[in-house]
């Protein structure tokens, strides 16, 4: 998740079964947006159906962009909001 810029983490060397570990500091803005997107059961079910199909290759970036587009399409446009205000 740190490699995908969804969170910031510190890495350390340990011993035994914890030879190398990460300590999560915080979610990034992108991480918060992703968590918010996948929190919706409806949107997550749609993502699994349309993007994360068994046997089909996808990248995490494709999933993030798809989720972002779906969220954006679900919001009313600023033009519509401005029209309602006048």
């Amino acid at each position: 998740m740190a490699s995908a810029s969804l969170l910031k983490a510190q890495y350390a060397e340990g011993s035994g079964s914890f030879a190398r570990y990460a300590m999560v500091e915080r979610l990034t803005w992108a991480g918060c947006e992703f968590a918010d997107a996948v929190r919706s059961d409806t949107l997550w079910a749609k993502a699994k159906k349309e993007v994360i199909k068994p046997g089909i290759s996808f990248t995490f970036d494709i999933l993030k962009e798809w989720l972002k587009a779906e969220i954006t399409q679900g919001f009313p446009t600023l033009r519509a909001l401005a029209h309602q205000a006048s």
Side-chain angles (χ1 to χ4, degrees), residues 1-9 11 22 28:
M1 292 179 74
S3 295
S5 299
L6 297 180
L7 57 82
K8 296 288 183 187
Y11 301 95
T28 62

Side-chain angles (χ1 to χ4, degrees), residues 9-82:
Q10 293 289 324
Y11 301 95
E13 299 294 326
S15 61
S17 61
F18 297 102
R20 182 169 162 94
Y21 62 94
M23 183 174 65
V24 175
E25 292 178 7
R26 64 181 175 82
L27 285 176
T28 62
W29 280 109
C32 290
E33 289 172 350
F34 182 78
D36 195 43
V38 298
R39 183 178 9 208
S40 164
D41 291 336
T42 304
L43 188 55
W44 186 240
K46 188 174 178 182
K48 289 191 292 186
K49 180 180 168 192
E50 296 186 21
V51 181
I52 312 172
K53 296 178 183 177
I56 302 224
S57 178
F58 71 93
T59 66
F60 189 71
D61 284 335
I62 290 171
L63 176 60
K64 284 193 320 186
E65 290 304 315
W66 184 88
L67 286 166
K68 196 182 310 182
E70 286 294 310
I71 290 169
T72 302
Q73 290 174 11
F75 290 136
T77 64
L78 291 176
R79 183 176 294 164
L81 290 174

